[in-house]
Amino acid sequence: MQIVGVLAFIVALLASVMIHELGHYLTAKKFGMKVTEFFVGFGQKLWSTKRGETEFGLKAIPAGGYCRIEGMSPNDVMEVGEEDRAFYKASTARKLIVLGAGSFMHFLLGFFLLLLLFVGIGTPAATPILKEIIPESAAASAGLLPGDEITAIDGKVVTDWSKDVLAIRGSNGKPVELSLKRGGQGLTFTITPTLKDIGGEKRWIIGFITGVEVKRINIFSGVKRSALVTQKLTSESFKALLRLPAMIPALWGQTVAGEKRDSNGLVGIVGVARVTGQAIGSEKLTLRERFSTFLIIIVSLNIFIGIFNLLPILPLDGGHMAVAIADAIRAAFARLRGRPRPAPIDVRVLTPVTMVVFVILVALTLLLLVADIINPVNLNL
């Protein structure tokens, strides 16, 4: 099953890359730019077909894909009569939309996968049905039994146990009235919570453990929850990028010195594929839990890639966006001074900077590759 997980990850990754490129393709075509190629993979061409002016196809190395928009640089030669369809001739707003569309598609894909998870598959949720009574606890002393269902706390009807249970934790030791259903009969208990250390955190508890069930939510709640989770993952991905430079020395030690691999540290594509294989192949998880874990991994990966690709460094889309913004600023200053608009910035002039960034990214990728092979992350699933 692990190999199935790895293959599923590879397919999902390639699909994510192509959805990214589809964002560029659709917006470029919308604005009348000339798109001549849309390929999955790199290297030797294996198959292609032409639709209109665009050639679609497959190449030998399945390491991503690309969408070729003509006229990215002022020095690119356009066919006679199509000079105005060059990318560099477009307005700043249109350039930014086309360049940012790839990352937007990652966020959109993540959102819809979360919506599928919450609405179609469901996620584990605690229920108000007691599964276990802790011995010598307030619950045991009061006579609560496994199978009892809590219907109200201090007169407030239980509707969402994950939130309603907070009334007990926030009681500060005051007696709590629990309304229960036992075998079709309604019962009421008044119990005083006790303060216990739970995982290093002090909590007021009564002393029972509730069950868990898979719960689906309606489409409207799903949209809201998917948006909130997408926002949270975006924030966490941004924070992770800020921490990235500081995490490289630790990765070096884990790769060269054989230090224990940090599961919360940097992980490369091979590592993520391995983790995905572990999750899907785990016998400790149900089929639903395996699929849910797979979706969460793909969502997290897409949102991270979406954020990373917006970094204002070449050759990333964010770097090209920075160049487009710089062009607009230069044009604005020229306009204020009554001068003609300056020639667009030729990104090829910035090739040395691009190559430095490229070498750094390749070096980090290779370091992650070695770490993922010789000292892989293990989820113990």
Side-chain angles (χ1 to χ4, degrees), residues 146-212:
D148 288 346
E149 180 181 358
I150 300 176
T151 57
I153 301 176
D154 286 333
K156 181 181 178 182
V157 176
V158 170
T159 56
D160 184 345
W161 180 248
S162 63
K163 295 179 180 178
D164 295 326
V165 72
L166 297 179
I168 297 174
R169 297 178 186 174
S171 65
N172 292 322
K174 297 179 181 179
V176 175
E177 183 182 88
L178 297 183
S179 298
L180 306 177
K181 184 185 293 183
R182 178 185 295 172
Q185 180 182 4
L187 301 172
T188 300
F189 294 83
T190 299
I191 307 175
T192 301
T194 56
L195 191 61
K196 297 289 185 181
D197 188 294
I198 308 294
E201 179 185 353
K202 296 291 185 180
R203 287 186 186 177
W204 293 100
I205 68 169
I206 288 178
F208 56 74
I209 297 173
T210 58
V212 175

Side-chain angles (χ1 to χ4, degrees), residues 324-337:
I325 292 172
D327 260 335
I329 293 173
R330 291 168 66 238
F333 276 115
R335 196 163 50 247
L336 289 173
R337 296 174 182 176

Side-chain angles (χ1 to χ4, degrees), residues 47-304:
W47 168 86
S48 71
T49 182
K50 198 162 186 179
R51 294 289 184 270
E53 63 186 7
T54 307
E55 183 180 12
F56 298 86
L58 300 172
K59 293 195 173 182
I61 305 174
Y66 69 94
C67 165
R68 181 180 177 83
I69 303 173
E70 298 296 331
M72 293 295 293
S73 166
N75 292 324
D76 289 347
V77 177
M78 299 291 295
E79 291 185 9
V80 177
E82 295 192 336
E83 294 84 358
D84 289 339
R85 299 184 65 196
F87 173 84
Y88 79 89
K89 287 288 190 72
S91 67
T92 301
R94 291 187 173 187
K95 289 178 183 176
L96 294 178
I97 291 173
V98 172
L99 292 169
S103 285
F104 174 76
M105 293 297 278
H106 285 298
F107 298 126
L108 194 63
L109 176 61
F111 172 84
F112 278 110
L113 288 179
L114 287 171
L115 189 62
L116 170 64
L117 176 62
F118 296 141
V119 177
I121 299 172
T123 54
T127 71
I129 300 176
L130 308 191
K131 180 181 179 181
E132 180 181 345
I133 306 299
I134 299 174
E136 300 181 1
S137 65
S141 300
L144 299 189
L145 299 175
D148 288 346
E149 180 181 358
I150 300 176
T151 57
I153 301 176
D154 286 333
K156 181 181 178 182
V157 176
V158 170
T159 56
D160 184 345
W161 180 248
S162 63
K163 295 179 180 178
D164 295 326
V165 72
L166 297 179
I168 297 174
R169 297 178 186 174
S171 65
N172 292 322
K174 297 179 181 179
V176 175
E177 183 182 88
L178 297 183
S179 298
L180 306 177
K181 184 185 293 183
R182 178 185 295 172
Q185 180 182 4
L187 301 172
T188 300
F189 294 83
T190 299
I191 307 175
T192 301
T194 56
L195 191 61
K196 297 289 185 181
D197 188 294
I198 308 294
E201 179 185 353
K202 296 291 185 180
R203 287 186 186 177
W204 293 100
I205 68 169
I206 288 178
F208 56 74
I209 297 173
T210 58
V212 175
E213 66 177 4
V214 174
K215 184 178 180 181
R216 298 184 183 90
I217 56 180
N218 63 57
I219 186 67
F220 300 106
S221 298
V223 168
K224 181 180 179 180
R225 188 173 179 186
S226 298
L228 290 174
V229 174
T230 300
Q231 182 183 29
K232 182 178 180 181
L233 289 175
T234 300
S235 175
E236 292 301 318
S237 295
F238 182 74
K239 292 176 183 177
L241 278 176
L242 293 179
R243 295 195 304 267
L244 192 151
M247 297 168 75
I248 293 177
L251 177 65
W252 178 263
Q254 295 160 12
T255 306
V256 177
E259 298 173 4
K260 184 178 179 181
R261 192 73 185 274
D262 182 4
S263 59
N264 295 317
L266 295 175
V267 182
I269 293 299
V270 171
V272 179
R274 186 192 294 266
V275 167
T276 305
Q278 289 178 14
I280 291 184
S282 175
E283 295 182 356
K284 297 179 181 178
L285 303 177
T286 65
L287 182 60
R288 188 192 299 269
E289 288 171 336
R290 295 177 193 180
F291 189 57
S292 298
T293 302
F294 173 73
L295 284 183
I296 290 295
I297 290 173
I298 300 304
V299 168
S300 301
L301 181 67
N302 269 276
I303 290 177
F304 182 82

